[in-house]
Structures are given as structure tokens and as C-alpha cells.
Amino acid sequence: MLRKVQNKMGVAFFVIILALFALAVRILLINYNHGEAYSKTVLDHQSYTSTTIPYKRGQIQDANGTVLAHSERVYNLILILSDEKYKEPTLTALTECFDLKRSDLESILATKSTSQYEKLLKELTKDEISEFESRVEDKKNNPYIKGVWFEDSYIRKYPFSTLAADVIGFASAANGGELGLENYYDEELSGTDGISYSYVGENLDVETQEKKAEDGYNLVTTIDYKVQSIIENKIKE
């Protein structure tokens, strides 16, 4: 009787091992033949966001290194508030730190309730956003200020206004170099944007992958700022 039970258990164990082996082979074949398609399907159903990391346009300098044109980092204020419990403390902080009206913010949330991205202000300086950032970092006193982030951007600056303007030219954020050296050396002064992806991973953790931006090259000219200034002043006289 005992031997019969042992024989049956042995057969059952062999059948289970055989079934597991067949299942493993089947999984390997599916992964080999259709793995890429299934991976794409899974990724398509994951929640993710992508953010462009802007490059910094190269400087234009005179022969002695004086900067005649440069790009200054600025910040766009983005509202992505979605959870009701964060609404009150977040809107209060926004109205106290920036030139924003509570009624306007309430209207945005009411009319664009399904939007996950609303640009409130553009081209803010580091000093202008410092107070709000300090509040966000103070988790002890402000744990519910959420749903706001700052998108990096750059604006072109010319420290000496119209000095050698016809030679230097100008650049815009949309089209790059428009005239003068800004246009002629646009390819060298321009860089390549980076990108940051945030998505929900296999363990339901938020994971981020980032490709850094490549900044443009600086351009050193034969212009002498001091000489140029004297000549232009004499011409005006």
C-alpha cells in the first residue's frame, strides 16, 4: 500500500515538473516572438510625462573675453494641481509669492479641471521664485504645497544694449539667430535640447530617466569693447 502511494506521488511530481518545464518553454517562445510588442503595450498603459531640458545658447565675447551676448536662465511657473486636499495651501502660497489673483486661479481650476498643465507665469528670475521654493522645501510647516513646478527656459541678453548691434545681430527663443553673427554662427552657438522622462515602473515606483542637454559653443570675436564704445560715441557726436 505504501509503495503504491509513493509511486503515485512520484508520477504526480514528474507530471508537475513536466508541466512547469512546458510552461517555461512556452513563456520563452512568447517572449522571443512577441516580447517587443507586449513590452510596447505595457509601456503604452503606463502613466508617464516628458519634459524638455533646454540647452544654453553659447556666448558672444569680444577679443578680451567681455561678454556681448549671453543666455540667462529663467523659469516658467506651471500649475498641475489635481488633488483637492492640496488646493487651499497651494493657491495661498501662489497668491502670496507671486502677482496672481485668487479668483483667476480658481477660475482656471474650474474651467480646466481635466488639464494637467497650465502655464501661469513666464520668464521669472531665480530671485522671483526663491520665496515660493523656500516654502515648498519647508515640509514641516508646508506639507501640502504641491502641484506646482518650474520649467527651465532661457532668454537672450545683450549687456551693452545696442553696442555693435548690426554686427552681433540678435536671437529669439523660437527661431535662433536672426541677424549678424547670431545668424551666421547659429549652428555653432546652438546646442541640443535634453529630455526627462518620468514613468511608473514595474514596482509602481516613479522612475526618471534623463538625457542631458548639450550647450552651444561660445564665439570669440575680434571686436574690442572699449574701442567700439569710443568709436560709436564719437559717431553719435
Side-chain angles (χ1 to χ4, degrees), residues 5-236:
V5 172
Q6 289 177 339
N7 289 338
K8 289 182 179 180
M9 289 179 64
V11 171
F13 181 75
F14 177 76
V15 171
I16 292 173
I17 294 297
L18 187 63
L20 291 174
F21 178 77
L23 181 61
V25 172
R26 179 60 176 164
I27 291 173
L28 288 173
L29 288 174
I30 291 174
N31 186 59
Y32 178 80
N33 294 320
H34 307 289
E36 185 175 347
Y38 288 148
S39 295
K40 184 178 184 300
T41 300
V42 172
L43 289 173
D44 286 343
H45 287 82
Q46 286 183 332
S47 176
Y48 72 93
T49 58
S50 62
T51 305
T52 299
I53 303 174
Y55 69 84
K56 185 177 182 180
R57 188 174 178 84
Q59 297 180 350
I60 297 179
Q61 305 172 359
D62 83 343
N64 302 307
T66 302
V67 177
L68 305 176
H70 68 98
S71 290
E72 180 178 300
R73 187 191 294 269
V74 292
Y75 305 88
N76 300 323
L77 177 60
I78 309 299
L79 177 66
I80 51 174
L81 187 64
S82 58
D83 197 317
E84 187 68 24
K85 71 178 180 180
Y86 302 135
K87 177 181 174 181
E88 179 61 32
T90 301
L91 295 191
T92 298
L94 286 171
T95 54
E96 291 179 355
C97 296
F98 301 103
D99 186 20
L100 294 168
K101 294 181 179 179
R102 180 63 178 252
S103 58
D104 292 338
L105 296 176
E106 293 279 6
S107 177
I108 290 173
L109 294 178
T111 58
K112 298 184 178 181
S113 58
T114 59
S115 174
Q116 295 296 307
Y117 182 101
E118 180 69 23
K119 187 177 294 185
L120 299 178
L121 296 172
K122 297 191 296 183
E123 299 182 0
L124 299 170
T125 65
K126 187 65 176 178
D127 289 341
E128 289 174 326
I129 70 173
S130 60
E131 182 182 351
F132 185 86
E133 286 187 320
S134 296
R135 293 196 186 192
V136 173
E137 291 171 2
D138 185 5
K139 300 297 184 183
K140 182 178 179 180
N141 296 313
N142 303 301
Y144 295 114
I145 298 179
K146 295 181 182 293
V148 175
W149 61 286
F150 295 100
E151 177 184 72
D152 289 4
S153 183
Y154 287 98
I155 55 174
R156 202 63 169 163
K157 292 283 190 175
Y158 300 92
F160 304 107
S161 186
T162 59
L163 181 83
D166 291 336
V167 176
I168 296 172
F170 71 96
S172 66
N175 302 316
E178 300 283 1
L179 294 171
L181 295 173
E182 291 275 31
N183 175 262
Y184 192 83
Y185 289 100
D186 185 57
E187 185 174 342
E188 289 77 12
L189 291 165
S190 297
T192 304
D193 286 337
I195 192 165
S196 175
Y197 288 101
S198 298
Y199 59 93
V200 178
E202 295 179 356
N203 298 322
L204 299 181
D205 294 325
V206 178
E207 301 178 12
T208 301
Q209 292 184 353
E210 180 179 299
K211 179 183 178 183
K212 294 184 178 180
E214 297 180 8
D215 295 337
Y217 292 106
N218 293 337
L219 177 66
V220 180
T221 71
T222 58
I223 298 172
D224 186 306
Y225 159 69
K226 293 181 180 178
V227 174
Q228 184 75 19
S229 298
I230 294 171
I231 292 173
E232 288 192 14
N233 288 333
K234 294 300 180 183
I235 291 174
K236 289 178 181 177

